[in-house]
Amino acid sequence: MTSYTSDLMRLLDERGYIHQATDAAALDALAAKQIVPGYIGFDPTAPSLHIGSLVQIMMLRRLQQAGHKPIVVMGGGTGKIGDPSFRDESRKLMNDATIAENVAGIFTVFDRLLTFGTGPTDAVMVNNDEWLGELGYLEMLRDVGPHFTVNRMLTFDSVKQRLEREQALTFLEFNYMILQAYDFVELARRYDCRLQMGGSDQWGNIVNGLELGRRMEGRELFGLTTPLLTTADGSKMGKSASGAVWLNEAQLPAYDFWQYWRNVDDRDVGRFLRLFTDLSLDEIARLEALEGSEINAAKIVLANEVTALVRGTEAARIAEATASETFTGSGLGEDLPVLQLGPDGMRIGAALTELGFTASNGEAKRKLAEGAVKLDGMTIDDVGHLLALPPGTEARLSLGKKKHAIIRG
């Protein structure tokens, strides 16, 4: 670890958030003597962010914990274009109503993790459509355009990869990096914002922004990125076997969210505790040193801590109780996903797919043939098995040891 003097840089460094910084020493000195407003941008492409964005949200939380001001930028303007970074095709364009609905849904998580208000270190959420929507085309070309060269823009990975694959990159998307850079300029003007943070894939866009701020405003701005977040097996964080791990309850039940963290690889426990919880480093060191079956206790702590932060303490309590009932006996925990059967019942393969336990009926057939499916503890291997229960009764359907649901008649 580097020796930093500011609480901010020490906190970020010791918990593993720092990958790249444009001038770490100067940022450290600035943070040691004054409040530093810093921002991260989020495009509202869905009603919820998933856990791939959680490390960025936690960085804003750390910024506030260290006595600085977090600025959450919702990309209501840039979201109308879509970030082309590392995408194979253009995003579907969204209208204003969809963007507004998505922003409202996303805010609920930030409201739990940050303290909003009007104080010097209180968080604020702004929508870049406030200034991008008012920016005239000719004004943009005249004032911002001269600071960008097409030669350099073509060197960015987000552009090169699409061109090398001969996949279309629209002129609309090509402008995304200019608009994101201009966000930094506008935030510096409005909030004296000095720092932009983001994932390592945003490094080029961040450097663009601070360079534009220096050229247009003569301001010294800073950029800082986190490492690319992957799990111990090398997969990108934010996905599970059954799909994205969403932060909002409406997109993913609390029990499934809790289970994701409970089932992480043993090798990820310490790192995730540092990144995604507020536990002390001494306590984290104790937990990650556990071996064998004892590491499961650390995973339960991880699941409880993250779920409590993102979903609330009651959601974490119920999820843990549900898991305990499900795994230690034949109980039907109250937070398990529920499938309501119709009067004619449902074939078991279709039920597994409907619940998201399997991706297709073909996969369901394979799992049944493997003996991985149980109904109230009894193995079912008949593909044609009909799930039919008397009205008002319920049973537990399980796939392997980790996927369980309540089936109701």
Side-chain angles (χ1 to χ4, degrees):
M1 289 188 183
T2 306
S3 178
Y4 291 113
T5 59
S6 69
D7 290 342
L8 173 63
M9 294 299 283
R10 279 202 305 268
L11 179 60
L12 294 178
D13 185 43
E14 66 190 10
R15 287 191 172 260
Y17 291 96
I18 299 177
H19 176 57
Q20 299 159 298
T22 53
D23 190 339
L27 176 58
D28 184 40
L30 182 69
K33 69 179 182 180
Q34 70 178 66
I35 294 172
V36 177
Y39 91 95
I40 300 177
F42 301 85
D43 275 346
T45 55
S48 169
L49 299 173
H50 60 64
I51 61 169
S53 297
L54 187 56
V55 68
Q56 313 306 330
I57 302 173
M58 290 300 293
M59 276 191 61
L60 290 173
R61 182 177 174 85
R62 304 303 183 207
L63 185 74
Q64 191 166 51
Q65 288 174 336
H68 301 279
K69 186 179 186 68
I71 302 172
V72 182
V73 177
M74 283 289 108
T78 45
K80 295 176 182 178
I81 297 174
D83 186 356
S85 298
F86 304 102
R87 292 186 61 82
D88 293 335
E89 57 186 20
S90 300
R91 291 188 187 274
K92 182 179 178 181
L93 299 182
M94 298 180 293
N95 59 35
D96 290 343
T98 299
I99 290 173
E101 183 179 337
N102 289 349
V103 169
I106 289 169
F107 177 74
T108 59
V109 171
F110 285 99
D111 198 32
R112 285 189 185 277
L113 292 169
L114 301 175
T115 299
F116 287 83
T118 58
T121 63
D122 285 341
V124 294
M125 178 178 279
V126 297
N127 189 326
N128 65 10
D129 197 39
E130 293 176 20
W131 52 85
L132 296 181
E134 299 297 320
L135 197 60
Y137 185 61
L138 292 179
E139 178 186 5
M140 185 73 173
L141 290 177
R142 183 194 64 209
D143 296 341
V144 182
H147 300 292
F148 289 84
T149 66
V150 172
N151 311 61
R152 183 166 184 219
M153 292 168 76
L154 289 173
T155 67
F156 281 83
D157 286 339
S158 59
V159 175
K160 283 200 305 183
Q161 290 183 12
R162 293 272 280 274
L163 296 180
E164 288 170 359
R165 296 169 183 162
E166 297 184 355
Q167 293 162 331
L169 177 70
T170 68
F171 180 68
L172 184 68
E173 292 175 289
F174 193 58
N175 278 271
Y176 184 94
M177 65 183 76
I178 299 177
L179 297 180
Q180 182 172 329
Y182 185 74
D183 281 347
F184 206 170
V185 173
E186 197 65 37
L187 290 165
R189 289 171 178 170
R190 295 181 180 217
Y191 299 96
D192 194 27
C193 183
R194 304 292 298 274
L195 171 66
Q196 181 182 176
M197 301 180 291
S200 58
D201 61 331
Q202 292 297 313
W203 177 250
N205 288 332
I206 290 173
V207 170
N208 261 347
L210 65 90
E211 288 181 352
L212 184 63
R214 186 179 67 246
R215 291 168 182 166
M216 292 184 69
E217 299 288 303
R219 293 176 182 261
E220 183 183 21
L221 305 176
F222 300 93
L224 189 152
T225 65
T226 58
L228 176 65
L229 196 59
T230 58
T231 57
D233 63 7
S235 60
K236 187 175 180 180
M237 192 166 184
K239 299 285 187 180
S240 70
S242 57
V245 182
W246 299 101
L247 298 181
N248 286 16
E249 179 73 25
Q251 281 70 42
L252 184 73
Y255 175 77
D256 293 330
F257 183 81
W258 189 93
Q259 277 292 114
Y260 175 85
W261 300 99
R262 167 60 181 82
N263 294 328
V264 299
D265 191 292
D266 293 0
R267 296 167 291 176
D268 287 325
V269 172
R271 183 164 59 108
F272 287 177
L273 283 167
R274 281 186 286 274
L275 289 172
F276 301 115
T277 80
D278 289 338
L279 291 178
S280 71
L281 293 177
D282 287 343
E283 176 63 7
I284 291 171
R286 183 189 72 80
L287 289 169
E288 70 177 329
L290 297 175
E291 297 180 351
S293 61
E294 290 185 345
I295 195 67
N296 289 327
K299 293 182 183 182
I300 291 173
V301 172
L302 172 66
N304 283 339
E305 291 291 323
V306 181
T307 304
L309 280 175
V310 176
R311 300 294 184 85
T313 54
E314 182 64 8
R317 184 195 66 77
I318 294 173
E320 183 185 9
T322 296
S324 178
E325 292 175 20
T326 301
F327 294 122
T328 59
S330 58
L332 295 173
E334 62 183 287
D335 206 33
L336 289 177
V338 176
L339 178 63
Q340 183 69 51
L341 301 176
D344 298 326
M346 181 181 293
R347 298 294 175 187
I348 194 165
L352 292 168
T353 303
E354 178 72 18
L355 286 162
F357 287 2
T358 54
S360 65
N361 288 339
E363 183 186 356
K365 290 179 181 179
R366 289 193 298 274
K367 295 298 182 183
L368 285 159
E370 293 168 4
V373 181
K374 293 184 178 182
L375 184 64
D376 276 345
M378 297 182 61
T379 301
I380 305 294
D381 55 14
D382 178 10
V383 175
H385 183 87
L386 180 67
L387 293 173
L389 297 173
T393 63
E394 56 188 28
R396 181 179 63 174
L397 180 64
S398 304
L399 175 61
K401 295 181 179 180
K402 297 180 180 179
K403 294 182 179 180
H404 306 273
I406 298 170
I407 306 299
R408 286 182 179 157

